[in-house]
Amino acid sequence: MGKPTGFIEFTRDIPTKRNVHERVKDYLEVEETLSKEKAVEQSARCMDCGVPFCHSGCPLGNIIPDFNDAVYQKNWELAYDILISTNNFPEFTGRICPAPCESSCVLAINKPAVAIEAIERFIIEKAFEKGYVKPRIPEVRTGKKIAIIGSGPAGLAAASQLNKAGHTVTVFERADAIGGLLRYGIPDFKLEKNIIDRRLKTMKEEGIVFKTNANVGVNVRVKDLMEEFDSILLCGGSTVPRDLDIKGRELKGVHFAMDFLSQQNKRNAKKTIKYDHAGNNYEQGEILATNKKVVVIGGGDTGSDCVGTSNRQKAESITQIEIMPMPSQKRAKNVSWLDVPMMLRTSSSHEEGCERTWSILTKEFIGNEKGELIGIKLVDIEWKTENGKMGFEEDPKTERIVPCDLVLLAMGFLHPERAEILEELGVLLDEKGNIQAQNYQTQNPKVFAAGDMRRGQSLVVWAISEGREAARQIDLHLMGHTELEAKAVSRLDTQHKVVVG
C-alpha cells in the first residue's frame, strides 16, 4: 500500500476521451493513456484492504494491489514484471476489458472503484516506452511441436506460454492477418491495430511461427497436422452469431453485426473487402451506414461497437434496441462482491449519439417491391416473473413500424462453427454446441481446446486466461511436469499464497 490515506485524498479519475466532434471523424482510439502524475495518484487510491477481492474478480488473477503499489513508488519495471506475470497482453485488456476487477474492488462499497484498467494500460505503455518489453527467447527447446488453430487472444496467450516453456509453436489463422476478433471485430477506435502488430513483432522474435490464410480443414489438411505436431490446440472462438428468424429476414439491409464491423476494419487497413470474418463471400456487397436510418438489435458491447462505427460512417439516425429490461444504474444489494453486477453501462459510442430503448420486441422486417429493407415492426413488452421464470407480454397498443434502411443483428454468438475439422479430430460437443474438454483436453488426447470455443462467448480477459491454462495443461501432458505458472490465487486461498511466475 503506497499511501494509507490515498483513497481518502483522491477521487477516481479515468483517462480523458478525445472530443466527440473530433473523434467521430476518424477511427483513432477514443481514450488516452493516463499521465504519469495521474497514474501515481490513482494507484494511491488502492487500499490495504486485507482481502483484495479484485484478485478473484479478475479471470487472470492479476496481482492488482502489488502493481498499484509499484506504480505509486514509480518503480515502472517492477510494476510491469508483476503485471506480465499473470497477463500476457495488458495492452489489450487495458483497452477493451470491462474490468470485472473494478466491480470487485472493496473501495467501491461506498466510493468509485480504483481505476485498475487505466493503471494497467499505463503500466504496459510505460513498459514499451522504457524498453522493458523484450523478446523472451527460451534457452532450451524441448523438441515438441504444437499447432494452435485460431489467433485470437486465447490462441495468442497459449502460443506465448508454450513458447516460453520451450516448445515450437505454429499458429494457424484462416484470415489474412493475425488477431482474430481483435483484428476484425473490435473497432479501431477501441483498439488500434498497430497495438496488435507491436506485440506480434515481439512474439515472432521469440520464435513463434504465424501462418495466415491457413484454413485448417480447407487448405490445410487435418491429417498433416496430426502427423506433424505433438499437440493441437483449438482456439477458433465462438463465431456462429445468433440470428433473428422472423418475417423479412432475407431482405437486403439486414446483416450480422460482425460482418459490418469486420468490413470497416478492413477499410481502415486499406484491404480489399472480399470476405467476412468467417471467410465466406459476401452476398450483398459492402455494408455501409452512410445516410441510413440504422437500427442495432442487441444492447451489448458488439451493439455499442456498431453504434460507434455507424456514427463514423455518418448515419442519418441510430437506434439501439434491447429485448431485456433496462438495467439498474446501481449495484443490486443481492449481488455478491465477487460477482459482476448487471448495471446500465454507457460506452463512448453511446456518448457520440444514439437512441437507446429497452423491453422492445422485433416482430417483422418490412421491405419494398425490390426486396430492400424500409422499416422494422416493433412492440413494447412487459417482463414478468411467475414461478421463478421470467417471461414477457406484448402491449399491442404500442405496435408500430419504424422507418429503417439498415438493421445490424448484435445479439451475441451461439457456438463454434460445426466444421468437418472437429469430426476429423474426434472432438465432441456439449449441449450448447461448444467443445467438450476436461481440463482443456478433448476426447482425443492429442487435441486441446480453449477460449470461447470451449467455454462459450465471453470476454477477452477470459480468453487470455483460458489460453494460459490450456498451455499449462499441454505442457504437463507432453512433459509430465510443468513450470508454467498457474493462475495467481488471492489471499482468500487457504494456503494464503500468491503465485507470481
Side-chain angles (χ1 to χ4, degrees), residues 133-304:
V133 183
K134 299 175 181 177
R136 299 184 178 184
I137 303 171
E139 295 182 1
V140 178
R141 289 289 179 181
T142 64
K144 301 294 185 180
K145 299 174 66 178
I146 299 159
I148 297 178
I149 302 174
S151 69
L156 292 178
S160 178
Q161 292 295 98
L162 289 165
N163 184 74
K164 176 181 175 181
H167 306 306
T168 300
V169 181
T170 303
V171 180
F172 294 85
E173 170 57 55
R174 65 182 176 183
D176 61 359
I178 297 297
L181 290 187
L182 293 173
R183 176 76 62 179
Y184 288 134
I186 305 295
D188 289 16
F189 55 79
K190 289 173 67 175
L191 176 68
E192 290 182 35
K193 302 310 175 252
N194 65 304
I195 300 299
I196 303 173
D197 297 333
R198 179 179 64 179
R199 176 59 67 176
L200 291 177
K201 180 178 182 294
T202 301
M203 295 179 74
K204 290 174 183 177
E205 292 172 351
E206 291 173 335
I208 299 171
V209 177
F210 295 97
K211 294 188 176 182
T212 56
N213 297 307
N215 196 345
V216 178
V218 179
N219 61 355
V220 176
R221 296 201 310 169
V222 174
K223 181 180 178 181
D224 292 342
L225 296 188
M226 290 293 290
E227 292 175 353
E228 181 181 353
F229 293 91
D230 297 288
S231 285
I232 296 173
L233 176 60
L234 302 174
C235 295
S238 181
T239 54
V240 176
R242 181 174 283 106
D243 207 343
L244 189 57
D245 187 16
I246 59 175
K247 186 177 179 181
R249 174 61 182 87
E250 76 288 349
L251 292 170
K252 294 178 182 179
V254 183
H255 299 276
F256 288 119
M258 201 52 62
D259 294 339
F260 172 68
L261 295 173
S262 62
Q263 276 200 11
Q264 186 55 54
N265 281 6
K266 288 202 170 189
R267 286 190 197 95
N268 294 343
K270 295 179 170 50
K271 294 185 177 181
T272 302
I273 300 172
K274 187 177 181 181
Y275 302 100
D276 64 12
H277 68 283
N280 301 314
N281 287 317
Y282 285 114
E283 296 180 354
Q284 300 182 25
E286 287 194 315
I287 310 169
L288 287 167
T290 309
N291 298 323
K292 292 181 180 177
K293 302 178 183 69
V294 179
V295 174
V296 180
I297 301 179
D301 288 340
T302 302
S304 166

Side-chain angles (χ1 to χ4, degrees), residues 1-10 44-45:
M1 182 180 185
K3 188 172 179 116
T5 58
F7 69 96
I8 299 174
E9 294 179 37
F10 306 119
R45 299 185 69 238

Side-chain angles (χ1 to χ4, degrees), residues 169-439:
V169 181
T170 303
V171 180
F172 294 85
E173 170 57 55
R174 65 182 176 183
D176 61 359
I178 297 297
L181 290 187
L182 293 173
R183 176 76 62 179
Y184 288 134
I186 305 295
D188 289 16
F189 55 79
K190 289 173 67 175
L191 176 68
E192 290 182 35
K193 302 310 175 252
N194 65 304
I195 300 299
I196 303 173
D197 297 333
R198 179 179 64 179
R199 176 59 67 176
L200 291 177
K201 180 178 182 294
T202 301
M203 295 179 74
K204 290 174 183 177
E205 292 172 351
E206 291 173 335
I208 299 171
V209 177
F210 295 97
K211 294 188 176 182
T212 56
N213 297 307
N215 196 345
V216 178
V218 179
N219 61 355
V220 176
R221 296 201 310 169
V222 174
K223 181 180 178 181
D224 292 342
L225 296 188
M226 290 293 290
E227 292 175 353
E228 181 181 353
F229 293 91
D230 297 288
S231 285
I232 296 173
L233 176 60
L234 302 174
C235 295
S238 181
T239 54
V240 176
R242 181 174 283 106
D243 207 343
L244 189 57
D245 187 16
I246 59 175
K247 186 177 179 181
R249 174 61 182 87
E250 76 288 349
L251 292 170
K252 294 178 182 179
V254 183
H255 299 276
F256 288 119
M258 201 52 62
D259 294 339
F260 172 68
L261 295 173
S262 62
Q263 276 200 11
Q264 186 55 54
N265 281 6
K266 288 202 170 189
R267 286 190 197 95
N268 294 343
K270 295 179 170 50
K271 294 185 177 181
T272 302
I273 300 172
K274 187 177 181 181
Y275 302 100
D276 64 12
H277 68 283
N280 301 314
N281 287 317
Y282 285 114
E283 296 180 354
Q284 300 182 25
E286 287 194 315
I287 310 169
L288 287 167
T290 309
N291 298 323
K292 292 181 180 177
K293 302 178 183 69
V294 179
V295 174
V296 180
I297 301 179
D301 288 340
T302 302
S304 166
D305 293 343
C306 289
V307 170
T309 303
S310 296
N311 271 313
R312 283 159 179 77
Q313 292 182 3
K314 296 180 173 54
E316 179 180 326
S317 65
I318 307 169
T319 303
Q320 184 178 20
I321 63 176
E322 168 60 51
I323 191 171
M324 297 302 293
M326 181 177 177
S328 170
Q329 297 190 37
K330 295 183 179 180
R331 187 187 192 107
K333 293 182 179 180
N334 62 345
V335 177
S336 78
W337 220 252
L338 294 180
D339 296 326
V340 179
M342 179 62 70
M343 294 172 56
L344 179 64
R345 300 180 186 277
T346 300
S347 71
S348 61
S349 294
H350 295 136
E351 295 169 358
E352 293 161 2
C354 170
E355 180 183 348
R356 304 171 72 187
T357 55
W358 290 264
S359 295
I360 302 291
L361 177 66
T362 306
K363 301 198 69 174
E364 181 182 344
F365 298 122
I366 309 298
N368 59 19
E369 63 281 358
K370 297 180 182 179
E372 300 167 333
L373 178 73
I374 60 171
I376 181 171
K377 183 182 288 186
L378 306 174
V379 66
D380 294 349
I381 58 175
E382 181 181 356
W383 285 92
K384 297 181 178 181
T385 302
E386 293 184 8
N387 300 321
K389 295 183 179 180
M390 284 189 68
F392 63 79
E393 292 181 358
E394 297 181 22
D395 181 355
K397 299 189 299 297
T398 65
E399 188 171 288
R400 70 271 192 195
I401 294 177
V402 175
C404 175
D405 307 301
L406 176 63
V407 162
L408 300 171
L409 303 176
M411 302 176 295
F413 298 87
L414 297 172
H415 46 67
E417 293 171 35
R418 294 189 173 94
E420 292 182 6
I421 174 180
L422 301 182
E423 294 182 14
E424 289 187 63
L425 291 172
V427 171
L428 300 180
L429 305 176
D430 62 20
E431 65 279 0
K432 294 182 178 180
N434 300 318
I435 293 177
Q436 290 185 22
Q438 185 72 23
N439 287 329

Side-chain angles (χ1 to χ4, degrees), residues 42 89 132 229 272 341 494:
Q42 290 305 297
F89 312 119
Y132 303 147
F229 293 91
T272 302
T494 55

